[in-house]
Amino acid sequence: MANLLINNNLKQKIMACDITAGRLEGCKDSVGGLNAIYFINYGAPEGFAVTDETITGVTATTPSAFKYDLKGTSTFDQSLTSSRDNGTTFAEQTLTVSLKKQDATTHKEVKLLAYGRPHIIIEDNNGLLWVMGEEFGVEMNATTSTGASLGDKSGYELVFAGMEKGLAKSYTGVLATDFAITVGA
């Protein structure tokens, strides 16, 4: 009888982690790549309005968001790691951004990104939005390069890293009304 009681208690604890849905093979109608990113100063939104794994907007304020258009080799990757020994699960989020052309204004902004720990909304080429660094923000490392010959890249390689409790949530709000968006020249 004691074993049955222990098994029932264990089953009750495990049920909160049970899988709740299946997944069919998807159509081949999506593409890779990133279209734009939006930087939001850490803590600028008083909070994100969250429903399950979706962020539906921001609460109370209209924070500033700074848009960077992307083309080319920028990537967003996530790794979800669980430890049975420690009883923990966390997500590592990595955004690598390649920006063409160096200038004094971008130098200043890159420095400020390194000093801060912004939240980032990532817009992929499928029109989907993802929030990186939702709770804890992100850290950034940057490399500037001018290349060796006339045809080489002169620009920036920015690598943002964040650790969160789970994978990046999708953003279903309306960027244009939820944020005061500043677009560069």
Side-chain angles (χ1 to χ4, degrees):
M1 185 66 158
N3 279 344
L4 182 59
L5 183 59
I6 289 170
N7 286 339
N8 283 338
N9 287 339
L10 181 61
K11 186 174 181 180
Q12 288 175 352
K13 290 179 182 177
I14 292 174
M15 287 179 62
C17 303
D18 286 348
I19 297 168
T20 61
R23 185 172 191 264
L24 297 174
E25 177 68 21
C27 297
K28 298 177 291 255
D29 61 351
S30 63
V31 295
L34 304 179
N35 185 51
I37 53 177
Y38 301 81
F39 293 108
I40 303 147
N41 287 319
Y42 183 78
E46 290 180 15
F48 289 106
V50 179
T51 304
D52 292 327
E53 294 300 309
T54 302
I55 296 175
T56 58
V58 295
T59 58
T61 64
T62 305
S64 295
F66 302 91
K67 181 180 180 182
Y68 281 52
D69 287 329
L70 302 177
K71 297 292 178 250
T73 60
S74 299
T75 61
F76 177 53
D77 298 299
Q78 300 183 85
S79 297
L80 193 60
T81 303
S82 293
S83 170
R84 178 175 288 192
D85 294 336
N86 297 330
T88 58
T89 300
F90 64 95
E92 291 182 80
Q93 303 171 337
T94 306
L95 172 66
T96 303
V97 174
S98 180
L99 301 175
K100 298 179 254 337
K101 194 173 181 178
Q102 295 183 40
D103 59 67
T105 301
T106 306
H107 268 35
K108 177 184 173 191
E109 293 304 318
V110 166
K111 180 178 75 171
L112 293 173
L113 285 167
Y115 289 171
R117 55 183 171 131
H119 310 285
I120 304 173
I121 296 179
I122 300 162
E123 179 183 348
D124 70 19
N125 283 333
N126 297 298
L128 299 173
L129 302 171
W130 305 98
V131 179
M132 178 182 185
E134 169 198 350
E135 187 172 352
F136 303 113
V138 299
E139 303 298 327
M140 186 207 69
N141 290 308
T143 304
T144 62
S145 62
T146 56
S149 64
L150 291 177
D152 290 347
K153 175 183 172 184
S154 174
Y156 307 86
E157 183 87 6
L158 311 178
V159 179
F160 298 91
M163 292 182 71
E164 294 288 328
K165 294 176 184 173
L167 296 172
K169 292 180 178 71
S170 68
Y171 190 87
T172 60
V174 179
L175 289 176
T177 57
D178 291 344
F179 297 93
I181 298 175
T182 300
V183 179

